[in-house]
Amino acid sequence: MSAPRLRATPLPGIGVQYDLVTREHRHLSVVAHRDGARTVNVYRSDDPDSCAHSLRLTGPEAGALIDALKPSHHSASLLYTTDLGLVAERIEVAATSRWNGRLLGDTRMRTDTGASIVAVLRRAEAIPSPAPDFRLVGGDTLIVIGTREGVDAAAAILGQE
């Protein structure tokens, strides 16, 4: 399936209108107003030029909707996501975790999930690129990068008690 095309049309004095036609041939548009508000329009299927529903959102409401539409919306610890399918996320080692006091290499995280730990945050200190002999401590926050599935699997490993 080809990537959806989003057409942008400047609306002088108002903002920009973004139009999208879905794979089901439904026409949607979002008007990004200069004041930060957004208007979401859904057009009739029998007349794609006739608007069936229009919803005006404040800037914060639009931001909340954007977050809900992202594949990783369930993760409050998400740091970053890319168009290449990689995510960076914070995962905390609980004091009750079986990994508290054990070596990072013992988790077999990279081998089993493909996700990499690029840093550990401990109190006010950041430890970049921890080696397999790095000892985990309850309360550590690991910065993990990988695919969504790999990061979720890493979180499951670290959540084991």
Side-chain angles (χ1 to χ4, degrees), residues 133-151:
D133 63 351
F134 179 83
R135 193 164 299 279
L136 297 170
V137 175
D140 282 351
T141 299
L142 282 58
I143 307 300
V144 182
I145 294 181
T147 62
R148 172 81 268 154
E149 295 80 14
V151 171

Side-chain angles (χ1 to χ4, degrees), residues 1-146:
M1 174 170 54
S2 64
R5 290 185 6 143
L6 195 63
R7 186 180 72 222
T9 306
L11 302 174
I14 297 170
V16 178
Q17 178 171 321
Y18 298 94
D19 289 282
L20 172 73
V21 177
T22 69
R23 74 173 179 207
E24 296 170 345
H25 306 289
R26 294 299 308 263
H27 178 196
L28 308 170
S29 74
V30 174
V31 176
H33 297 271
R34 291 177 18 186
D35 65 0
R38 301 291 188 265
T39 303
V40 179
N41 301 301
V42 179
Y43 295 85
R44 292 175 36 164
S45 57
D46 62 336
D47 182 0
D49 294 324
S50 180
C51 185
H53 301 285
S54 185
L55 176 65
R56 187 168 171 99
L57 303 171
T58 65
E61 290 168 338
L65 179 59
I66 288 166
D67 286 343
L69 290 171
K70 291 179 182 175
S72 53
H73 74 276
H74 65 279
S75 176
S77 59
L78 181 71
L79 296 171
Y80 186 73
T81 185
T82 71
D83 291 338
L84 299 173
L86 297 176
V87 296
E89 191 164 299
R90 289 184 215 116
I91 302 173
E92 186 173 339
V93 177
T96 58
S97 171
R98 71 181 279 193
W99 306 111
N100 185 3
R102 294 186 56 195
L103 300 178
L104 177 59
D106 291 346
T107 67
R108 297 183 41 84
M109 193 169 318
R110 185 177 305 172
T111 302
D112 292 347
T113 70
S116 297
I117 290 114
V118 296
V120 175
L121 308 177
R122 182 177 286 166
R123 296 183 201 91
E125 181 183 8
I127 300 121
S129 303
D133 63 351
F134 179 83
R135 193 164 299 279
L136 297 170
V137 175
D140 282 351
T141 299
L142 282 58
I143 307 300
V144 182
I145 294 181

